Amino acid sequence: QVQLVEAGGGLVPAGGSLRLSCAASGPTFSSYVMGWFRQAPGKEREFVAAIRWSGDSAYYADSVKGRFTISRDNARNTVYLQMNSLKPEDTAVYYCAARQFWAALTTPAEYAYWGQGTQVTVSS
């Protein structure tokens, strides 16, 4: 069982930066693929980024490629999402999620564990 708690959301002007963190409990954190998703009001949950258990591979949605960076610190059981050059369309609740396999990364239903989410609001 993995429990996830996100932090770091807030209000930021367009062009600004935020770093989200997701703290995980459980002894097997380092064996999980970690992902970030987001959901804006009235929209479906959308894949943002994922990182392999070892941290040596990452995958991004086209909409955030070059602006967002996912990383993890297995010693701290934490995954991060550094968000730069934020745009108003990045406004959403951001969720971290965990799954066992490096496949079907963009599909929310493939992730077994979810955090409660943190709000990110980008003002224009």
Side-chain angles (χ1 to χ4, degrees):
Q1 186 78 9
V2 176
Q3 292 184 324
L4 306 172
V5 179
E6 301 96 335
L11 174 64
V12 61
S17 298
L18 278 176
R19 189 175 82 153
L20 306 183
S21 63
C22 173
S25 64
T28 59
F29 168 78
S30 61
S31 66
Y32 283 88
V33 172
M34 300 299 298
W36 285 97
F37 287 76
R38 65 187 182 187
Q39 189 166 18
K43 294 189 176 181
E44 293 186 351
R45 194 163 294 192
E46 173 190 32
F47 171 78
V48 175
I51 188 166
R52 196 186 285 266
W53 68 270
S54 60
D56 63 353
S57 294
Y59 182 69
Y60 297 92
D62 287 344
S63 59
V64 306
K65 202 173 294 183
R67 300 189 298 122
F68 291 10
T69 302
I70 188 172
S71 61
R72 67 190 296 164
D73 183 343
N74 288 340
R76 297 179 183 270
N77 278 14
T78 302
V79 63
Y80 303 97
L81 186 69
Q82 177 66 45
M83 305 186 294
N84 299 329
S85 302
L86 282 161
K87 305 175 182 179
E89 52 263 43
D90 294 318
T91 295
V93 177
Y94 283 70
Y95 299 89
C96 72
R99 61 165 300 167
Q100 287 192 302
F101 302 110
W102 185 254
L105 298 174
T106 65
T107 305
E110 296 292 333
Y111 288 76
Y113 305 104
W114 290 85
Q116 83 290 347
T118 186
Q119 176 71 47
V120 171
T121 302
V122 184
S123 61
S124 56

